Amino acid sequence: MKLIKRYIERDFSGHVVLCPEELEDMWHVYNLISIGDQLKAKTIRHIQNISATGSVESQRLSLTLTITVENVDFDAQAGLLRIRGRNVVENKYVKMGMYHTIDLELNRNFTLYKADWDIIARERVEEACDITKTADIAAVVLQEGLANVCLITQHMTIVRQRIEHPIPRKRKGSVTNHEKGLEKFYDQVMQAILRHVNFDVVKVAILASPGFVKDQLYEYVFAEAVKTDNKAFLENKSKFLLIHSSSGHKHSLQEVLQDPVVQAQLADTKYAREMMTLDKFFKMLNEDPDKAFYGWNHVKKAGDLGAIGTLMLSDELFRSADIPTRKKYIKLVKSVRDMGGKVLIFSSLHVSGENLNQLTGVAAILNFPLPDVDEEEEEEERKQNTETVQNTEIEASSSSS
């Protein structure tokens, strides 16, 4: 992402002009734009003109419009971002208050106005525009007849192609059809890698499978590369890692990326840090649950007591249309940082983010155990229930008298 201009006042109102340059930038923009923001961008509008004779002429015009955002729709596979809202700057063709949908495009500037550029939004801009924070991984998770070709960036895991090919079973005395089926399958996977993986960007290419499927694919790919003098594969052979996985489905990526060999290759990446932290959280949840909290109420209490060492949050929480909800999580982030804790914001388009969302999207590893939090909550509930019963009895006696 390219930052063209930034103008933010002391009260944190203001605007930035940005230019998205690649697919992942669209993900950052999706996380930046909130309901109620104003967006200014070039767009296409169908205009109808009625002539003096009553005939209707339709034409497509390129206009620059400013809308107040009411809905944001993101297609991660295609990288399409559509923002719908009402026009707030009248012009010759579009009146004030009329609805319009702007399609944001790569390599085209747009201006985003916010009444409050909070800490999460400001950090998102900094991160998106820092070119040193990209570390792309390609991964093929497969089993016989099924393969998922994935691209993994700092913030997104995208299945670029899913390959399904029927493999005939081995028969007594003949394995020819089985071997031919496997060969066709491996060729389809090889062509998919060529089509979707840019080895100039990718640092690691992972082949993962149960059994020896990954080894057979590796041997097939490089045997074919030698035959055809395919330099894309031959010059990047050192980037390939063969890792065990339990299946060829996308969810197997989590165990693949937790493998120590992969972790060593990706030690300096944001995604690797997230995976290691989440793994540490789950281990602590089993072994020392008084130091592993999840859910807003528990994590908030731990934060109030200054107990949080590492706070984990899903980026979905900051896309909430409910402003008080967003603000309470921003307040929690500031509080944890002020007390010296670490904060990790997980992408919901990564396997790690999906797992965190299953834990309500917020979790924490504590510096010291808090064993009495559940008991305190139960005590509070008992007090509330007692007060409710007492109030009901008082109302009942008042009405009878």
Side-chain angles (χ1 to χ4, degrees):
M1 184 103 75
K2 191 180 291 181
L3 178 61
I4 309 298
K5 183 182 177 184
R6 172 168 42 195
Y7 183 79
I8 297 177
E9 299 276 7
R10 287 186 178 180
D11 64 355
F12 296 115
S13 64
H15 67 274
V16 296
V17 182
L18 297 167
C19 180
E21 297 177 306
E22 55 188 46
L23 176 61
E24 189 168 1
D25 292 342
M26 289 301 196
W27 173 247
H28 285 299
V29 175
Y30 173 55
N31 281 282
L32 269 176
I33 298 176
S34 301
I35 307 300
D37 292 348
Q38 291 187 353
L39 180 75
K40 179 182 178 182
K42 279 192 174 181
T43 184
I44 301 297
R45 178 88 175 181
H46 288 273
I47 306 295
Q48 289 187 337
N49 295 316
I50 301 174
S51 67
T53 59
S55 61
V56 178
E57 293 181 356
S58 182
Q59 60 181 137
R60 296 171 80 246
L61 291 178
S62 177
L63 305 169
T64 298
L65 293 181
T66 303
I67 63 172
T68 296
V69 177
E70 292 190 11
N71 184 60
V72 184
D73 184 40
F74 179 57
D75 181 342
Q77 296 295 330
L80 294 176
L81 190 56
R82 310 192 80 199
I83 297 96
R84 186 170 187 266
R86 293 178 183 270
N87 182 41
V88 292
V89 179
E90 190 165 358
N91 63 43
K92 180 180 175 182
Y93 301 102
V94 185
K95 293 180 180 179
M96 289 276 286
M98 290 185 71
Y99 276 105
H100 184 79
T101 299
I102 294 176
D103 293 341
L104 289 185
E105 299 177 11
L106 293 177
N107 302 307
R108 183 170 289 179
N109 295 1
F110 68 89
T111 305
L112 181 63
Y113 300 85
K114 282 180 176 287
D116 179 17
W117 281 90
D118 59 51
I119 185 67
I120 300 298
R122 298 199 305 275
E123 286 181 358
R124 175 71 68 171
V125 172
E126 295 294 336
E127 190 172 358
C129 297
D130 184 351
I131 60 171
T132 65
K133 293 189 177 179
T134 57
D136 290 341
I137 310 157
V140 181
V141 283
L142 71 156
Q143 62 194 51
E144 284 195 1
L146 170 67
N148 283 284
V149 180
C150 308
L151 289 180
I152 305 165
T153 68
Q154 293 276 44
H155 298 274
M156 301 169 70
T157 300
I158 302 171
V159 179
R160 297 304 292 171
Q161 189 171 341
R162 180 181 170 91
I163 298 160
E164 292 183 86
H165 185 82
I167 309 292
R169 291 183 178 180
K170 292 179 181 178
R171 298 189 181 277
K172 280 187 179 180
S174 175
V175 294
T176 307
N177 289 339
H178 178 76
E179 288 175 350
K180 282 183 179 177
L182 277 177
E183 195 170 304
K184 285 182 181 178
F185 171 61
Y186 292 147
D187 186 63
Q188 288 180 10
V189 177
M190 181 179 178
Q191 296 308 317
I193 294 172
L194 280 172
R195 192 177 307 117
H196 297 296
V197 177
N198 180 357
F199 286 105
D200 292 334
V201 176
V202 164
K203 293 185 177 182
V204 181
I206 299 168
L207 303 181
S209 77
F212 297 100
V213 181
K214 60 187 180 301
D215 306 85
Q216 292 167 1
L217 172 64
Y218 181 83
E219 289 169 8
Y220 176 85
V221 164
F222 284 99
E224 288 297 309
V226 170
K227 284 181 194 175
T228 59
D229 192 29
N230 189 309
K231 291 180 180 176
F233 282 114
L234 296 175
E235 291 177 1
N236 293 282
K237 191 173 183 179
S238 62
K239 293 182 179 180
F240 280 80
L241 285 179
L242 275 60
I243 304 293
H244 172 79
S245 70
S246 57
S247 77
H249 294 279
K250 180 192 168 187
H251 62 75
S252 297
L253 271 176
Q254 182 179 357
E255 62 185 273
V256 170
L257 292 165
Q258 286 175 335
D259 188 284
V261 177
V262 177
Q263 291 286 349
Q265 293 277 343
L266 309 176
D268 62 340
T269 67
K270 175 181 182 290
Y271 187 35
R273 287 193 298 274
E274 290 176 0
M275 292 295 296
M276 286 188 286
T277 304
L278 197 61
D279 189 39
K280 181 181 176 182
F281 172 82
F282 282 120
K283 282 181 181 175
M284 196 164 284
L285 196 61
N286 288 325
E287 298 168 6
D288 193 0
D290 291 337
K291 289 179 69 178
F293 280 16
Y294 64 91
W296 168 254
N297 289 337
H298 280 188
V299 173
K300 172 68 166 59
K301 284 192 175 181
D304 291 342
L305 295 168
I308 296 177
T310 303
L311 176 65
M312 294 167 283
L313 297 158
S314 167
D315 57 14
E316 279 192 357
L317 300 171
F318 300 102
R319 290 201 300 273
S320 173
D322 182 41
I323 293 173
T325 297
R326 180 184 171 93
K327 284 188 173 180
K328 77 178 184 181
Y329 283 107
I330 290 168
K331 188 177 178 182
L332 179 62
V333 168
K334 289 179 179 177
S335 171
V336 170
R337 284 179 176 167
D338 288 344
M339 292 186 179
K342 288 194 301 182
V343 177
L344 293 177
I345 297 175
F346 286 55
S347 169
S348 54
L349 278 190
H350 269 321
V351 177
S352 57
E354 291 172 2
N355 287 341
L356 185 59
N357 281 334
Q358 290 173 4
L359 295 172
T360 72
V362 57
I365 297 171
L366 309 190
N367 289 324
F368 50 85
L370 293 175
D372 302 326
V373 169
D374 285 330
E375 293 175 13
E376 288 174 9
E377 280 198 350
E378 288 172 7
E379 183 63 30
E380 284 179 13
E381 283 182 15
R382 278 197 294 270
K383 283 182 180 177
Q384 288 175 359
N385 291 336
T386 303
E387 287 174 5
T388 303
V389 170
Q390 288 174 347
N391 291 336
T392 305
E393 289 174 351
I394 291 169
E395 288 174 6
S397 62
S398 300
S399 59
S400 61
S401 60

mmCIF file of all heavy atoms in Angstrom, residues 171-200:
data_model
loop_
_atom_site.group_PDB
_atom_site.id
_atom_site.type_symbol
_atom_site.label_atom_id
_atom_site.label_comp_id
_atom_site.label_asym_id
_atom_site.label_seq_id
_atom_site.Cartn_x
_atom_site.Cartn_y
_atom_site.Cartn_z
ATOM 1 N N ARG A 171 -5.658 -52.744 -8.402
ATOM 2 C CA ARG A 171 -6.302 -54.051 -8.571
ATOM 3 C C ARG A 171 -5.243 -55.149 -8.583
ATOM 4 O O ARG A 171 -4.093 -54.907 -8.925
ATOM 5 C CB ARG A 171 -7.105 -54.087 -9.882
ATOM 6 C CG ARG A 171 -8.230 -53.061 -9.895
ATOM 7 C CD ARG A 171 -9.143 -53.256 -11.101
ATOM 8 N NE ARG A 171 -10.202 -52.269 -11.116
ATOM 9 C CZ ARG A 171 -11.328 -52.370 -10.420
ATOM 10 N NH1 ARG A 171 -11.519 -53.419 -9.646
ATOM 11 N NH2 ARG A 171 -12.248 -51.436 -10.487
ATOM 12 N N LYS A 172 -5.657 -56.324 -8.213
ATOM 13 C CA LYS A 172 -4.722 -57.444 -8.174
ATOM 14 C C LYS A 172 -4.103 -57.652 -9.548
ATOM 15 O O LYS A 172 -4.814 -57.765 -10.545
ATOM 16 C CB LYS A 172 -5.432 -58.720 -7.728
ATOM 17 C CG LYS A 172 -5.632 -58.805 -6.222
ATOM 18 C CD LYS A 172 -6.187 -60.175 -5.832
ATOM 19 C CE LYS A 172 -6.354 -60.244 -4.315
ATOM 20 N NZ LYS A 172 -6.903 -61.572 -3.899
ATOM 21 N N GLY A 173 -2.789 -57.683 -9.569
ATOM 22 C CA GLY A 173 -2.088 -57.953 -10.814
ATOM 23 C C GLY A 173 -1.907 -56.752 -11.713
ATOM 24 O O GLY A 173 -1.209 -56.828 -12.724
ATOM 25 N N SER A 174 -2.548 -55.612 -11.380
ATOM 26 C CA SER A 174 -2.403 -54.427 -12.243
ATOM 27 C C SER A 174 -2.571 -53.146 -11.424
ATOM 28 O O SER A 174 -3.559 -52.987 -10.713
ATOM 29 C CB SER A 174 -3.444 -54.447 -13.368
ATOM 30 O OG SER A 174 -3.374 -53.251 -14.114
ATOM 31 N N VAL A 175 -1.575 -52.290 -11.527
ATOM 32 C CA VAL A 175 -1.652 -50.987 -10.862
ATOM 33 C C VAL A 175 -1.528 -49.855 -11.886
ATOM 34 O O VAL A 175 -1.359 -48.701 -11.534
ATOM 35 C CB VAL A 175 -0.541 -50.845 -9.785
ATOM 36 C CG1 VAL A 175 -0.772 -51.813 -8.656
ATOM 37 C CG2 VAL A 175 0.848 -51.031 -10.397
ATOM 38 N N THR A 176 -1.632 -50.211 -13.165
ATOM 39 C CA THR A 176 -1.416 -49.231 -14.243
ATOM 40 C C THR A 176 -2.390 -48.071 -14.160
ATOM 41 O O THR A 176 -1.992 -46.891 -14.226
ATOM 42 C CB THR A 176 -1.543 -49.908 -15.621
ATOM 43 O OG1 THR A 176 -0.680 -51.035 -15.655
ATOM 44 C CG2 THR A 176 -1.155 -48.933 -16.739
ATOM 45 N N ASN A 177 -3.689 -48.360 -14.012
ATOM 46 C CA ASN A 177 -4.700 -47.293 -13.964
ATOM 47 C C ASN A 177 -4.496 -46.401 -12.744
ATOM 48 O O ASN A 177 -4.674 -45.181 -12.814
ATOM 49 C CB ASN A 177 -6.110 -47.885 -13.952
ATOM 50 C CG ASN A 177 -6.478 -48.494 -15.281
ATOM 51 O OD1 ASN A 177 -5.887 -48.154 -16.306
ATOM 52 N ND2 ASN A 177 -7.440 -49.405 -15.286
ATOM 53 N N HIS A 178 -4.123 -47.027 -11.627
ATOM 54 C CA HIS A 178 -3.858 -46.259 -10.397
ATOM 55 C C HIS A 178 -2.697 -45.293 -10.618
ATOM 56 O O HIS A 178 -2.785 -44.112 -10.263
ATOM 57 C CB HIS A 178 -3.544 -47.232 -9.258
ATOM 58 C CG HIS A 178 -3.202 -46.554 -7.967
ATOM 59 N ND1 HIS A 178 -4.141 -45.981 -7.150
ATOM 60 C CD2 HIS A 178 -1.992 -46.327 -7.363
ATOM 61 C CE1 HIS A 178 -3.555 -45.445 -6.092
ATOM 62 N NE2 HIS A 178 -2.243 -45.649 -6.201
ATOM 63 N N GLU A 179 -1.621 -45.778 -11.200
ATOM 64 C CA GLU A 179 -0.435 -44.944 -11.429
ATOM 65 C C GLU A 179 -0.712 -43.830 -12.436
ATOM 66 O O GLU A 179 -0.235 -42.717 -12.281
ATOM 67 C CB GLU A 179 0.733 -45.818 -11.897
ATOM 68 C CG GLU A 179 1.293 -46.690 -10.766
ATOM 69 C CD GLU A 179 2.372 -47.634 -11.248
ATOM 70 O OE1 GLU A 179 2.558 -47.754 -12.483
ATOM 71 O OE2 GLU A 179 3.031 -48.260 -10.385
ATOM 72 N N LYS A 180 -1.490 -44.152 -13.482
ATOM 73 C CA LYS A 180 -1.853 -43.130 -14.474
ATOM 74 C C LYS A 180 -2.705 -42.035 -13.834
ATOM 75 O O LYS A 180 -2.539 -40.840 -14.128
ATOM 76 C CB LYS A 180 -2.617 -43.764 -15.647
ATOM 77 C CG LYS A 180 -1.723 -44.489 -16.642
ATOM 78 C CD LYS A 180 -2.545 -45.033 -17.806
ATOM 79 C CE LYS A 180 -1.647 -45.728 -18.821
ATOM 80 N NZ LYS A 180 -2.440 -46.326 -19.934
ATOM 81 N N GLY A 181 -3.646 -42.452 -12.964
ATOM 82 C CA GLY A 181 -4.479 -41.479 -12.264
ATOM 83 C C GLY A 181 -3.656 -40.558 -11.380
ATOM 84 O O GLY A 181 -3.862 -39.336 -11.363
ATOM 85 N N LEU A 182 -2.690 -41.136 -10.653
ATOM 86 C CA LEU A 182 -1.807 -40.335 -9.807
ATOM 87 C C LEU A 182 -0.978 -39.357 -10.636
ATOM 88 O O LEU A 182 -0.796 -38.195 -10.260
ATOM 89 C CB LEU A 182 -0.873 -41.239 -8.999
ATOM 90 C CG LEU A 182 -1.421 -41.834 -7.703
ATOM 91 C CD1 LEU A 182 -0.390 -42.757 -7.072
ATOM 92 C CD2 LEU A 182 -1.815 -40.740 -6.713
ATOM 93 N N GLU A 183 -0.478 -39.836 -11.768
ATOM 94 C CA GLU A 183 0.353 -38.986 -12.627
ATOM 95 C C GLU A 183 -0.433 -37.776 -13.131
ATOM 96 O O GLU A 183 0.075 -36.648 -13.128
ATOM 97 C CB GLU A 183 0.876 -39.815 -13.812
ATOM 98 C CG GLU A 183 2.020 -39.138 -14.562
ATOM 99 C CD GLU A 183 2.672 -40.069 -15.569
ATOM 100 O OE1 GLU A 183 3.128 -41.155 -15.165
ATOM 101 O OE2 GLU A 183 2.705 -39.700 -16.753
ATOM 102 N N LYS A 184 -1.679 -38.013 -13.544
ATOM 103 C CA LYS A 184 -2.527 -36.893 -14.004
ATOM 104 C C LYS A 184 -2.796 -35.914 -12.862
ATOM 105 O O LYS A 184 -2.804 -34.700 -13.050
ATOM 106 C CB LYS A 184 -3.862 -37.429 -14.558
ATOM 107 C CG LYS A 184 -3.736 -38.060 -15.933
ATOM 108 C CD LYS A 184 -5.103 -38.517 -16.446
ATOM 109 C CE LYS A 184 -4.987 -39.178 -17.807
ATOM 110 N NZ LYS A 184 -6.298 -39.681 -18.296
ATOM 111 N N PHE A 185 -3.029 -36.481 -11.686
ATOM 112 C CA PHE A 185 -3.283 -35.648 -10.502
ATOM 113 C C PHE A 185 -2.063 -34.786 -10.181
ATOM 114 O O PHE A 185 -2.170 -33.575 -9.978
ATOM 115 C CB PHE A 185 -3.637 -36.557 -9.322
ATOM 116 C CG PHE A 185 -3.721 -35.855 -7.995
ATOM 117 C CD1 PHE A 185 -4.641 -34.834 -7.770
ATOM 118 C CD2 PHE A 185 -2.874 -36.223 -6.945
ATOM 119 C CE1 PHE A 185 -4.718 -34.186 -6.539
ATOM 120 C CE2 PHE A 185 -2.942 -35.583 -5.715
ATOM 121 C CZ PHE A 185 -3.867 -34.563 -5.520
ATOM 122 N N TYR A 186 -0.880 -35.393 -10.156
ATOM 123 C CA TYR A 186 0.342 -34.645 -9.855
ATOM 124 C C TYR A 186 0.610 -33.571 -10.912
ATOM 125 O O TYR A 186 1.095 -32.481 -10.595
ATOM 126 C CB TYR A 186 1.544 -35.588 -9.757
ATOM 127 C CG TYR A 186 1.505 -36.512 -8.567
ATOM 128 C CD1 TYR A 186 2.053 -37.804 -8.629
ATOM 129 C CD2 TYR A 186 0.922 -36.123 -7.361
ATOM 130 C CE1 TYR A 186 2.015 -38.659 -7.529
ATOM 131 C CE2 TYR A 186 0.875 -36.967 -6.263
ATOM 132 C CZ TYR A 186 1.419 -38.236 -6.356
ATOM 133 O OH TYR A 186 1.378 -39.087 -5.278
ATOM 134 N N ASP A 187 0.286 -33.872 -12.156
ATOM 135 C CA ASP A 187 0.491 -32.885 -13.216
ATOM 136 C C ASP A 187 -0.429 -31.674 -13.018
ATOM 137 O O ASP A 187 -0.012 -30.523 -13.214
ATOM 138 C CB ASP A 187 0.240 -33.510 -14.594
ATOM 139 C CG ASP A 187 0.597 -32.547 -15.718
ATOM 140 O OD1 ASP A 187 1.790 -32.185 -15.834
ATOM 141 O OD2 ASP A 187 -0.317 -32.133 -16.457
ATOM 142 N N GLN A 188 -1.687 -31.939 -12.616
ATOM 143 C CA GLN A 188 -2.612 -30.830 -12.350
ATOM 144 C C GLN A 188 -2.111 -29.957 -11.203
ATOM 145 O O GLN A 188 -2.197 -28.732 -11.257
ATOM 146 C CB GLN A 188 -4.004 -31.380 -12.004
ATOM 147 C CG GLN A 188 -4.751 -31.961 -13.186
ATOM 148 C CD GLN A 188 -6.118 -32.495 -12.792
ATOM 149 O OE1 GLN A 188 -6.590 -32.275 -11.682
ATOM 150 N NE2 GLN A 188 -6.764 -33.204 -13.699
ATOM 151 N N VAL A 189 -1.562 -30.608 -10.157
ATOM 152 C CA VAL A 189 -1.028 -29.844 -9.019
ATOM 153 C C VAL A 189 0.180 -29.025 -9.463
ATOM 154 O O VAL A 189 0.320 -27.851 -9.107
ATOM 155 C CB VAL A 189 -0.639 -30.785 -7.853
ATOM 156 C CG1 VAL A 189 -0.007 -29.989 -6.708
ATOM 157 C CG2 VAL A 189 -1.867 -31.534 -7.341
ATOM 158 N N MET A 190 1.054 -29.619 -10.261
ATOM 159 C CA MET A 190 2.240 -28.913 -10.761
ATOM 160 C C MET A 190 1.841 -27.681 -11.583
ATOM 161 O O MET A 190 2.414 -26.593 -11.410
ATOM 162 C CB MET A 190 3.081 -29.858 -11.618
ATOM 163 C CG MET A 190 4.353 -29.230 -12.175
ATOM 164 S SD MET A 190 5.289 -30.433 -13.161
ATOM 165 C CE MET A 190 6.656 -29.393 -13.705
ATOM 166 N N GLN A 191 0.862 -27.841 -12.449
ATOM 167 C CA GLN A 191 0.405 -26.707 -13.277
ATOM 168 C C GLN A 191 -0.218 -25.613 -12.408
ATOM 169 O O GLN A 191 -0.065 -24.421 -12.677
ATOM 170 C CB GLN A 191 -0.609 -27.187 -14.324
ATOM 171 C CG GLN A 191 -0.054 -28.163 -15.345
ATOM 172 C CD GLN A 191 1.214 -27.665 -16.015
ATOM 173 O OE1 GLN A 191 1.333 -26.489 -16.389
ATOM 174 N NE2 GLN A 191 2.189 -28.553 -16.164
ATOM 175 N N ALA A 192 -0.915 -26.024 -11.341
ATOM 176 C CA ALA A 192 -1.524 -25.042 -10.429
ATOM 177 C C ALA A 192 -0.444 -24.245 -9.695
ATOM 178 O O ALA A 192 -0.573 -23.032 -9.497
ATOM 179 C CB ALA A 192 -2.433 -25.742 -9.424
ATOM 180 N N ILE A 193 0.641 -24.928 -9.291
ATOM 181 C CA ILE A 193 1.746 -24.228 -8.626
ATOM 182 C C ILE A 193 2.360 -23.211 -9.581
ATOM 183 O O ILE A 193 2.622 -22.053 -9.204
ATOM 184 C CB ILE A 193 2.815 -25.240 -8.139
ATOM 185 C CG1 ILE A 193 2.232 -26.133 -7.046
ATOM 186 C CG2 ILE A 193 4.052 -24.504 -7.614
ATOM 187 C CD1 ILE A 193 3.145 -27.299 -6.642
ATOM 188 N N LEU A 194 2.588 -23.621 -10.817
ATOM 189 C CA LEU A 194 3.149 -22.704 -11.824
ATOM 190 C C LEU A 194 2.253 -21.491 -12.044
ATOM 191 O O LEU A 194 2.717 -20.365 -12.209
ATOM 192 C CB LEU A 194 3.351 -23.433 -13.160
ATOM 193 C CG LEU A 194 4.600 -24.294 -13.288
ATOM 194 C CD1 LEU A 194 4.542 -25.093 -14.585
ATOM 195 C CD2 LEU A 194 5.848 -23.425 -13.269
ATOM 196 N N ARG A 195 0.933 -21.733 -12.023
ATOM 197 C CA ARG A 195 -0.028 -20.672 -12.315
ATOM 198 C C ARG A 195 -0.151 -19.679 -11.160
ATOM 199 O O ARG A 195 -0.292 -18.481 -11.379
ATOM 200 C CB ARG A 195 -1.393 -21.309 -12.606
ATOM 201 C CG ARG A 195 -2.429 -20.346 -13.210
ATOM 202 C CD ARG A 195 -3.728 -21.069 -13.528
ATOM 203 N NE ARG A 195 -3.502 -22.240 -14.351
ATOM 204 C CZ ARG A 195 -3.768 -23.497 -13.971
ATOM 205 N NH1 ARG A 195 -4.271 -23.735 -12.776
ATOM 206 N NH2 ARG A 195 -3.545 -24.509 -14.778
ATOM 207 N N HIS A 196 -0.072 -20.162 -9.926
ATOM 208 C CA HIS A 196 -0.427 -19.316 -8.785
ATOM 209 C C HIS A 196 0.739 -18.870 -7.907
ATOM 210 O O HIS A 196 0.565 -17.960 -7.097
ATOM 211 C CB HIS A 196 -1.447 -20.046 -7.903
ATOM 212 C CG HIS A 196 -2.737 -20.340 -8.590
ATOM 213 N ND1 HIS A 196 -3.592 -19.347 -9.030
ATOM 214 C CD2 HIS A 196 -3.319 -21.528 -8.942
ATOM 215 C CE1 HIS A 196 -4.646 -19.902 -9.606
ATOM 216 N NE2 HIS A 196 -4.505 -21.211 -9.562
ATOM 217 N N VAL A 197 1.898 -19.506 -8.028
ATOM 218 C CA VAL A 197 3.012 -19.184 -7.131
ATOM 219 C C VAL A 197 4.061 -18.342 -7.847
ATOM 220 O O VAL A 197 4.619 -18.768 -8.867
ATOM 221 C CB VAL A 197 3.663 -20.468 -6.562
ATOM 222 C CG1 VAL A 197 4.858 -20.119 -5.681
ATOM 223 C CG2 VAL A 197 2.640 -21.283 -5.779
ATOM 224 N N ASN A 198 4.301 -17.147 -7.304
ATOM 225 C CA ASN A 198 5.348 -16.271 -7.830
ATOM 226 C C ASN A 198 6.602 -16.476 -6.980
ATOM 227 O O ASN A 198 6.699 -15.977 -5.867
ATOM 228 C CB ASN A 198 4.873 -14.814 -7.767
ATOM 229 C CG ASN A 198 5.917 -13.842 -8.291
ATOM 230 O OD1 ASN A 198 7.035 -14.243 -8.658
ATOM 231 N ND2 ASN A 198 5.580 -12.574 -8.340
ATOM 232 N N PHE A 199 7.565 -17.212 -7.518
ATOM 233 C CA PHE A 199 8.755 -17.556 -6.740
ATOM 234 C C PHE A 199 9.664 -16.351 -6.479
ATOM 235 O O PHE A 199 10.569 -16.433 -5.650
ATOM 236 C CB PHE A 199 9.537 -18.678 -7.424
ATOM 237 C CG PHE A 199 8.880 -20.024 -7.287
ATOM 238 C CD1 PHE A 199 8.209 -20.597 -8.350
ATOM 239 C CD2 PHE A 199 8.921 -20.714 -6.088
ATOM 240 C CE1 PHE A 199 7.600 -21.831 -8.233
ATOM 241 C CE2 PHE A 199 8.311 -21.952 -5.950
ATOM 242 C CZ PHE A 199 7.650 -22.518 -7.021
ATOM 243 N N ASP A 200 9.410 -15.243 -7.150
ATOM 244 C CA ASP A 200 10.176 -14.017 -6.856
ATOM 245 C C ASP A 200 9.759 -13.435 -5.505
ATOM 246 O O ASP A 200 10.514 -12.702 -4.874
ATOM 247 C CB ASP A 200 9.956 -12.967 -7.957
ATOM 248 C CG ASP A 200 10.566 -13.397 -9.282
ATOM 249 O OD1 ASP A 200 11.527 -14.195 -9.242
ATOM 250 O OD2 ASP A 200 10.082 -12.938 -10.338
#
